[in-house]
Amino acid sequence: RAGAGTDAEATHRAALAKLTAVRVATSVCDRLPALLGRGALLHHPLLEKWRRDVGAFEFMEGTGHVQQQHVATGYLRSVAP
């Protein structure tokens, strides 16, 4: 296992991964009804549930603004002398 410094330096990468995952999942859930055609939400009721679930991840993992702050702070620390 790497030292504690390595873990602290990697937190911004975890925040970036969470932020990206939520954005990708939201984009997919938003596009699926259009890709599947009219009545997609009627024929595939899980689409709406998945969209709500993706929104819940936004709050469980911290709001996007908090994740963005972690990414920016971690990046600035990594490039600072």
Side-chain angles (χ1 to χ4, degrees):
R1 178 181 146 111
T6 303
D7 292 340
E9 292 168 4
T11 59
H12 72 283
R13 293 185 186 129
L16 182 59
K18 291 175 184 180
L19 186 61
T20 303
V22 169
R23 286 185 178 175
V24 168
T26 301
S27 176
V28 168
C29 287
D30 286 346
R31 293 196 62 204
L32 275 176
L35 294 172
L36 294 174
R38 290 182 178 215
L41 294 175
L42 293 174
H43 296 297
H44 307 285
L46 281 177
L47 292 178
E48 183 60 31
K49 180 192 181 305
W50 292 337
R51 179 61 177 95
R52 288 191 313 267
D53 290 350
V54 168
F57 280 112
E58 170 80 17
F59 295 105
M60 289 188 310
E61 295 297 337
T63 64
H65 296 296
V66 172
Q67 297 299 337
Q68 289 172 355
Q69 185 177 19
H70 286 304
V71 171
T73 302
Y75 175 76
L76 291 174
R77 284 184 184 155
S78 71
V79 297

